[in-house]
Amino acid sequence: MTDLETRTAGRPGASGPSGALRRAAPALLGYAAVRALGLLALVLWSAARDKSAYTLLTARWDSLWYTRVAELGYGYEVRLPNGDVHSNLAFFPLLPWLERLGAAISPLSYADAGFVVSLLASLAAAWGIFAVADHVYGARAGVCAALLWAVLPVGIVQSMAYSESLFTALAAWSLYAVLTGRWVTAGTLAALAGLTRPVGLAVTAAVWVAVITAFVRSRSGGDRDGAPGARHVLGMLLAPLGAAGYVLWVGHRTGKGPLGYLDVQAGWRNGFDGGVAFARFVAGRFTSFPGALAGVGLIVGVALLVWLYVVCVRQRQPLPLLVYAGLVTLLALCASSYFGSKPRLLLPAFPLLFPLALGLARLRTPRATVVVCAVAAASAVYGAFWLNGSGPP
């Protein structure tokens, strides 16, 4: 439990679904406990404010857009007084499809199905995060990584009828498949991730980088497993199909060609400007004293993300993880979208938590437990306060 360099391959009891589940059980139980605490805090806080916690989780903000896609299909849009057009074509289809499926085979409403999907997907994501960290650093670090993902300040989003949990689950297991040489599985899961969120590009890039690296190593004679074969190529070809297929369909639907999806996003004032808009937003916080504190907090937060990524590089994380986490972070910080959304957009960048997980894993169990419990309590209170206030835009 203290050897963080031990790999999972070949360990007794680690093979097979039942063995893998037993190995992941501490991470999954700990994750479920943290999220249950967050939901309890939300229920109590919402009741004190005469609000419905369940409505906040399933029928506010983007949750409504997903359920409308599930119920009505694509084509719904809202025209704002300033001329902006908010089209539901901006929302990728996998979550609405699962909501529609859940409503079709059960008495659940679309919103109920979305909530169930997110709960199950969040557990799958925690398991995937554990599996990746366990493979690279060992089981103790894997448990710590799953717990750290649970106690993130905006971790309550993992329990909402949003697509973050579903995407993170698909991304984590795709990356695990890459690390363990399951190329067709990796490509299939990457394609599904591409049907979930635009940032599915990051999963595709990770798969492609891994395959290209395998080809380069085989050419130089450094790959002891032999030259990459048809499965590598098939995984590569499958990976971009989800995102590319949806984007091309939107272009055909709007009549604006391959770039039609960008026009849809522009209607939401979303785009990629290299972080210029975000920098202006941060600078604007310094025009007043209370706002200056928020500006300092934002700068510290960005610096922390950069520092964590540098530590990931220095700790020699596998290249697919570095590519994936780097692209997720870059797309989140450099998009000109709603600035309040950036913390939740960073939720899928779980490899950034691995340096912290390693540090936590080195603590004695009692001390690590105290740290996790304290942070979990703070996260639960913040999540309840946040959803009852501004919440995710």
Side-chain angles (χ1 to χ4, degrees):
M1 294 293 288
T2 57
D3 182 7
L4 300 179
E5 299 302 322
T6 304
R7 300 298 187 265
T8 61
R11 289 183 180 179
S15 60
S18 60
L21 180 58
R22 285 195 300 271
R23 187 172 182 82
L28 296 179
L29 291 173
Y31 176 82
V34 172
R35 291 279 26 97
L37 177 63
L39 291 174
L40 176 62
L42 177 64
V43 169
L44 295 176
W45 194 297
S46 301
R49 294 175 59 89
D50 198 26
K51 291 185 178 182
S52 167
Y54 191 68
T55 297
L56 293 174
L57 293 169
T58 63
R60 293 288 306 278
W61 306 294
D62 288 4
S63 298
L64 289 173
W65 286 92
Y66 283 118
T67 56
R68 286 191 185 115
V69 173
E71 181 179 6
L72 305 173
Y74 286 105
Y76 176 84
E77 63 183 28
V78 175
R79 294 184 177 272
L80 304 183
N82 65 356
D84 290 345
V85 178
H86 288 184
S87 168
N88 66 359
L89 289 168
F91 295 87
F92 277 50
L94 186 56
L95 178 57
W97 286 348
L98 293 175
E99 290 178 343
R100 184 177 295 176
L101 176 63
I105 64 176
S106 73
L108 298 176
S109 68
Y110 295 116
D112 295 337
F115 181 63
V116 171
V117 167
S118 289
L119 289 183
L120 295 177
S122 67
L123 285 171
W127 191 355
I129 291 169
F130 166 82
V132 172
D134 181 20
H135 181 80
V136 179
Y137 298 114
R140 189 176 178 90
V143 172
C144 292
L147 291 176
L148 287 174
W149 193 65
V151 302
L152 288 172
V154 294
I156 190 65
V157 174
Q158 297 162 19
S159 302
M160 297 179 67
Y162 270 44
S163 61
E164 273 76 10
S165 289
L166 179 60
F167 175 81
T168 304
L170 294 167
W173 284 108
S174 178
L175 290 169
Y176 179 74
V178 166
L179 296 177
T180 55
R182 297 171 172 89
W183 300 104
V184 176
T185 300
T188 301
L189 292 173
L192 292 172
L195 283 171
T196 308
R197 295 187 64 81
V199 75
L201 166 69
V203 191
T204 297
V207 174
W208 278 52
V209 163
V211 174
I212 291 171
T213 300
F215 272 104
V216 171
R217 286 178 177 173
S218 69
R219 292 289 297 273
S220 63
D223 191 347
R224 291 175 293 180
D225 297 328
R231 290 184 176 273
H232 293 74
V233 176
L234 182 56
M236 248 182 120
L237 294 176
L238 287 171
L241 292 183
Y246 181 68
V247 168
L248 291 175
W249 179 81
V250 170
H252 174 74
R253 172 73 179 255
T254 60
K256 297 183 178 179
L259 301 181
Y261 182 76
L262 298 180
D263 290 335
V264 170
Q265 287 285 5
W268 287 81
R269 303 211 171 202
N270 289 339
F272 185 87
D273 64 358
V276 174
F278 184 46
R280 289 174 179 168
F281 174 78
V282 174
R285 302 304 95 192
F286 290 92
T287 58
S288 63
F289 173 68
L293 296 178
V296 171
L298 289 170
I299 292 174
V300 170
V302 172
L304 176 61
L305 290 172
V306 174
W307 175 75
L308 285 173
Y309 189 78
V310 170
V311 175
C312 290
V313 174
R314 293 180 64 182
Q315 291 180 345
R316 297 184 178 180
Q317 274 191 20
L319 184 58
L321 299 186
L322 293 175
V323 169
Y324 168 76
L327 282 176
V328 171
T329 304
L330 184 69
L331 292 172
L333 294 181
C334 295
S336 59
S337 57
Y338 295 108
F339 303 111
S341 300
K342 294 192 182 295
R344 70 175 177 86
L345 296 180
L346 288 164
L347 273 177
F350 64 88
L352 295 181
L353 297 173
F354 289 175
L356 300 178
L358 285 171
L360 185 62
R362 293 189 180 101
L363 298 178
R364 293 184 179 275
T365 300
R367 182 173 296 181
T369 301
V370 170
V371 171
V372 171
C373 288
V375 179
S379 173
V381 172
Y382 177 77
F385 165 78
W386 186 47
L387 284 198
N388 278 277
S390 60

